[in-house]
Amino acid sequence: MKFFVDTADVDAIRELHELGMVDGVTTNPSLIMKSGRDIKEVTKEICDMVDGPVSAETVALDAEGMIAEGRELKKIADNITIKVPLTWDGLKACKVLSGEGNMVNVTLCFSANQALLAAKAGATFISPFIGRLDDLNLDGMELIADIREIYDNYGFETQILAASIRSANHMSEAAKIGADVATAPPAVIKAMANHVLTDKGLDAFMKDWEKTGQKIL
């Protein structure tokens, strides 16, 4: 499973990138706002750092506007993925932009039917939002499984990009189900390394090592 980082924080991306943990990046208007930077400037800096797809989202609500904005965002770098919402206009924009050879990420997906439509429209990535479904007492992972089954049934090449990841458990569950990609905030990716038994075992080792009175360096 590929790891995308869901942030526009360049320093956080750089730290994970140096560890080989970044296969791509996803941004959205909220993350751009949080960064406090110009969308084109920060996106260009991210694209120069990361070789993989970098999602930049359109903000128009009509298909023509999304197409125009998508073409403008694509000028930033070759690895830009144009992000459009899963609305009827978003699907129209996806069809045009993907037909022009662009990578397109269709976002805000909350049903298997929506994912099926996005695949038919030529989406490179479909972004089902796990955490927001969980917030409504629905099973976000069940949606990932349903999309995986449908795409496998018919050989769709659209990649499932598990989004709205809230925990390390979300990451492992998405991987077990077969999501192609998971995008998560830096803190969630770092949390995957944590385990209470690792901490306990390391503490015991250090106490025993201290008793030996030895040094390695």
Side-chain angles (χ1 to χ4, degrees), residues 112-197:
N113 278 337
Q114 288 180 317
L116 180 55
L117 289 172
K120 297 285 283 185
T124 311
F125 301 100
I126 183 68
S127 290
F129 275 40
I130 296 168
R132 296 196 191 186
L133 284 171
D134 287 353
D135 290 344
L136 299 177
N137 290 320
L138 299 172
D139 190 344
M141 286 301 165
E142 185 176 328
L143 174 58
I144 301 294
D146 288 345
I147 297 171
R148 180 77 279 159
E149 181 178 359
I150 291 169
Y151 282 8
D152 288 348
N153 281 349
Y154 300 101
F156 287 119
E157 295 183 1
T158 299
Q159 296 182 52
I160 301 172
L161 198 169
S164 188
I165 297 281
R166 303 278 179 78
S167 68
N169 283 344
H170 275 164
M171 295 290 283
S172 58
E173 289 299 314
K176 287 190 288 184
I177 292 169
D180 300 288
V181 188
T183 187
V188 171
I189 294 175
K190 287 184 174 182
M192 295 173 69
N194 297 338
H195 199 288
V196 63
L197 293 181

Side-chain angles (χ1 to χ4, degrees), residues 17-34:
H17 185 260
E18 290 173 352
L19 288 174
M21 299 294 176
V22 180
D23 299 300
V25 174
T26 54
T27 68
N28 58 45
S30 297
L31 293 173
I32 294 296
M33 182 274 294
K34 187 176 180 180

Side-chain angles (χ1 to χ4, degrees), residues 205-217:
F205 288 161
M206 292 303 97
K207 288 178 179 177
D208 287 343
W209 178 250
E210 186 177 355
K211 291 174 185 177
T212 70
Q214 300 180 45
K215 291 184 179 181
I216 294 175
L217 294 177

